[in-house]
Amino acid sequence: MNNSDHHNSLRLYQQALDSSNSGIIITDNNIEDNPIVYCNKAFENMTGYSRHEIIGHNCRFLQMNDRHQRARQEIKSAILDESETRIVIRNYKKNGDLFWNELFISPVKNEDGKTTHFIGVQNDITLQKQAEHELREEKANVEKKVRERTKELQEEEMFLSSIIQTVRESLLVLDENFHVLSANNHFLKTFKVTSEDTIGKLLYELGNHQWDIEALKELLIKILPTSNPVIDFEVEHDFPYIGKKIMILNAYRIEFEGQYKDRILLAIEDVSERREIEKRKDDFLSIASHELKTPLTTIKGLVQILQRFTGEGLSEKYSDTLNKVAVHVDRLNNLITDLLDTSKIQSGNIESHKERCDISSLVSNCVESIQIADDSHKIILSGDDEIYVNIDESQITQVVNNIIGNAVKYSPKSKPIYINISKVANYVKISVKDQGLGISHSDKSKIFERFYRAGSTQKQYPGMGIGLYVSQKIIDNHKGTIWVESELGHGSTFHFTIPF
């Protein structure tokens, strides 16, 4: 078979896999942690993740924090035994929704009998599980449950009605033609209208047509019917009497049968004041960082000049003190640089100047520099050499230094740190594993946020909580993904991928 025929065959196989209704993944058994190197379209649709968020992960990421499942051990045993298995396991979509996954795992062996890959075929059997559950429910005492449920619903309706009126967020209920059926007190106060001028009126005709907003129409007419619900849709509008407002809209269309069918629930959060406060804070950070940078650059230059004279009969104590000053000036300079990067990200001015670069050599140079500055940890580098990718070398160096620096900072001295570089499908994957404090489940979802610091480290370790935030934005700019696997007290492994 010539190369053209081979290429056509591979393309035909991929088209066949992509047309399958079953989710299909392939993992590479030759790479540490058996990462996913291929997934078909059905797997993306089933999980809600896109391909670049899947490649490089171990398939256990679908279990999120639901780790104590017997099926997980069965999968692990099948991988170790290199055998086929069929299991049913609880998985979670990207948005957190549970789905039941019927999983078939098969090893792929080469001519020498060695298992090189595993193929996983997945089917969403949530509906089947729901049907089984409903059948069990029907066997119970139906009349008793109906009476109890009716009473509960009446109480819940009264309770929810009270909440709707007291919640500090504007809430509207619309019919299918966008007439206002109800509006809570917060809406009336915020937008300075009366109940008589609101209830029963077409939303777009309220007041002097002040809600005739194109972005709002797009949400209700175009987006909501095809994407139910709509989460955090931002609208900015200049109202005639109350001025400019920045609003976060959340909308939900009720689609089930009954008297409330086709009702639209619309929550309106006024974030104008919060955004103004954030803007003032960002402006202050930007100005302060620039103002601090100028005298600091002068101080750094003067320290360097003084260091050149250290060999001219000056005492060793003087030289040591001057060197310590230089180290702390560099630390301060790095902090201000991070603040400036944060300011650029917030204003949308961060740019990446990409060139072809050997990322394995870049990581090696970072390790060497860190070891020279601090030899308290043994850093073990493994994986592939000479992996060339188009990157902004200084920015990716910043990311690698930040992740390794955190591993050194939050790990007990003398504990080794492991770094692995590997090719995963059409991505390069960098993993940094430490044996330090670890990160709690609640902190893991927030550590990439600006100025966030995990509760267990705030008092013990200094820092501003912007390194990982900047790192994530840099990796996003490179069309890659960064994530962490960790348990409190059992160390952390940070991974990031960059496409070739």
Side-chain angles (χ1 to χ4, degrees):
M1 182 183 292
N2 59 39
N3 286 338
S4 177
D5 290 339
H6 182 69
H7 178 74
N8 289 334
S9 295
L10 287 176
R11 187 167 59 184
L12 178 62
Y13 294 153
Q14 184 171 352
Q15 288 174 344
L17 290 176
D18 276 340
S19 65
S20 171
N21 289 328
S22 297
I24 299 172
I25 61 170
I26 300 174
T27 67
D28 193 337
N29 199 40
N30 295 315
I31 300 177
E32 183 182 352
D33 206 28
N34 217 332
I36 298 169
V37 296
Y38 168 81
C39 68
N40 70 345
K41 295 289 183 186
F43 185 79
E44 292 182 81
N45 296 335
M46 183 186 301
T47 63
Y49 290 92
S50 57
R51 182 176 182 272
H52 81 276
E53 295 173 305
I54 295 168
I55 298 299
H57 285 63
N58 183 282
C59 59
R60 64 174 170 268
F61 83 103
L62 290 177
Q63 285 100 61
M64 288 193 177
N65 204 39
D66 190 3
R67 300 187 173 191
H68 301 292
Q69 300 189 55
R70 185 175 179 180
R72 282 170 59 95
Q73 189 58 44
E74 293 178 26
I75 294 174
K76 188 175 181 180
S77 298
I79 299 298
L80 291 173
D81 297 337
E82 299 180 1
S83 61
E84 293 184 351
T85 188
R86 173 195 172 278
I87 54 101
V88 174
I89 190 168
R90 293 187 300 275
N91 282 168
Y92 297 85
K93 299 184 180 185
K94 182 179 179 179
N95 64 5
D97 287 350
L98 165 71
F99 71 98
W100 288 91
N101 187 0
E102 184 182 47
L103 172 62
F104 297 84
I105 299 174
S106 299
V108 178
K109 300 180 183 291
N110 62 14
E111 295 176 353
D112 298 327
K114 180 186 176 184
T115 298
T116 60
H117 297 77
F118 284 90
I119 294 180
V121 180
Q122 349 241 340
N123 290 297
D124 185 342
I125 60 168
T126 305
L127 292 178
Q128 176 186 326
K129 283 284 185 180
Q130 288 175 345
E132 292 172 358
H133 174 72
E134 289 168 2
L135 188 60
R136 288 193 297 269
E137 286 288 299
E138 286 177 0
K139 294 177 181 178
N141 188 334
V142 177
E143 289 186 3
K144 181 181 177 182
K145 288 201 171 188
V146 168
R147 287 195 302 269
E148 291 175 350
R149 187 62 181 146
T150 301
K151 185 173 181 292
E152 288 174 6
L153 287 172
Q154 290 172 341
E155 292 173 349
E156 286 174 6
E157 186 176 355
M158 294 172 62
F159 181 61
L160 290 174
S161 178
S162 300
I163 292 175
I164 287 169
Q165 289 303 327
T166 55
V167 71
R168 293 181 62 82
E169 187 169 316
S170 297
L171 299 173
L172 292 178
V173 179
L174 312 176
D175 66 15
E176 68 272 21
N177 297 314
F178 312 121
H179 288 87
V180 179
L181 298 177
S182 70
N184 72 341
N185 292 329
H186 195 274
F187 176 87
L188 303 177
K189 290 179 180 178
T190 300
F191 297 100
K192 297 185 173 19
V193 292
T194 65
S195 179
E196 291 77 11
D197 295 331
T198 305
I199 306 302
K201 302 293 177 64
L202 183 64
L203 176 66
Y204 309 130
E205 295 179 357
L206 292 180
N208 57 353
H209 294 255
Q210 61 189 29
W211 285 95
D212 195 356
I213 305 169
E214 193 60 37
L216 179 59
K217 286 185 174 179
E218 181 184 5
L219 180 149
L220 294 174
I221 298 172
K222 296 180 182 178
I223 301 176
L224 186 61
T226 59
S227 175
N228 191 15
V230 173
I231 306 296
D232 294 345
F233 186 86
E234 186 170 314
V235 172
E236 185 173 340
H237 186 65
D238 197 351
F239 289 91
Y241 302 125
I242 59 176
K244 184 175 287 187
K245 293 286 185 184
I246 301 173
M247 300 170 289
I248 301 296
L249 307 184
N250 288 273
Y252 183 83
R253 178 184 284 275
I254 300 173
E255 296 182 335
F256 52 74
E257 296 296 330
Q259 64 173 322
Y260 298 114
K261 184 180 187 297
D262 290 331
R263 298 286 170 87
I264 298 169
L265 309 181
L266 182 62
I268 306 166
E269 182 184 0
D270 180 4
V271 296
S272 310
E273 187 176 347
R274 187 202 312 167
R275 291 293 172 82
E276 180 61 30
I277 292 171
E278 288 176 356
K279 184 178 183 304
R280 290 201 297 268
K281 182 174 65 176
D282 292 336
D283 290 345
F284 169 76
L285 283 176
S286 179
I287 294 167
S289 300
H290 279 98
E291 292 296 323
L292 288 169
K293 193 79 173 177
T294 302
L296 186 64
T297 302
T298 304
I299 293 170
K300 186 174 180 179
L302 293 172
V303 169
Q304 290 173 344
I305 292 171
L306 290 173
Q307 284 179 311
R308 295 194 192 109
F309 300 131
T310 55
E312 300 180 5
L314 298 174
S315 70
E316 184 178 342
K317 185 176 181 181
Y318 175 85
S319 299
D320 289 343
T321 302
L322 191 58
N323 289 335
K324 288 178 181 177
V325 170
V327 168
H328 288 289
V329 167
D330 282 338
R331 284 184 182 175
L332 185 56
N333 188 55
N334 290 336
L335 287 173
I336 293 173
T337 299
D338 281 345
L339 282 173
L340 282 169
D341 285 342
T342 303
S343 175
K344 288 176 184 176
I345 289 168
Q346 289 303 109
S347 61
N349 293 327
I350 187 169
E351 295 180 359
S352 297
H353 304 285
K354 298 175 184 176
E355 295 180 351
R356 186 171 167 79
C357 172
D358 179 3
I359 196 168
S360 51
S361 176
L362 181 152
V363 174
S364 179
N365 290 337
C366 290
V367 170
E368 185 177 343
S369 299
I370 289 172
Q371 292 272 248
I372 291 172
D374 185 351
D375 60 358
S376 61
H377 293 74
K378 184 178 182 182
I379 302 177
I380 301 169
L381 183 61
S382 65
D384 297 325
D385 294 326
E386 295 188 1
I387 303 178
Y388 288 90
V389 284
N390 286 327
I391 57 173
D392 185 312
E393 187 173 351
S394 64
Q395 289 183 356
I396 298 302
T397 298
Q398 186 178 354
V399 173
V400 173
N401 279 334
N402 181 52
I403 295 175
I404 300 176
N406 281 347
V408 171
K409 182 177 179 179
Y410 298 121
S411 297
K413 294 190 183 300
S414 79
K415 288 283 187 180
I417 293 166
Y418 300 93
I419 304 174
N420 182 261
I421 308 171
S422 58
K423 298 175 184 176
V424 183
N426 57 329
Y427 292 81
V428 59
K429 178 182 177 182
I430 312 293
S431 301
V432 179
K433 180 180 182 181
D434 65 52
Q435 300 178 62
L437 300 174
I439 304 165
S440 69
H441 177 68
S442 60
D443 285 330
K444 271 194 292 186
S445 61
K446 301 175 183 176
I447 57 169
F448 292 104
E449 294 179 5
R450 186 172 57 144
F451 302 125
Y452 184 81
R453 305 206 57 227
S456 58
T457 64
Q458 286 183 6
K459 294 181 180 179
Q460 192 173 354
Y461 299 95
M464 293 189 295
I466 56 179
L468 289 176
Y469 168 78
V470 172
S471 296
Q472 184 182 49
K473 297 303 178 184
I474 289 172
I475 296 300
D476 286 347
N477 267 9
H478 284 75
K479 309 300 182 187
T481 307
I482 185 169
W483 71 97
V484 63
E485 293 183 348
S486 181
E487 286 187 35
L488 199 59
H490 296 281
S492 305
T493 304
F494 280 84
H495 311 270
F496 69 86
T497 58
I498 297 175
F500 288 129

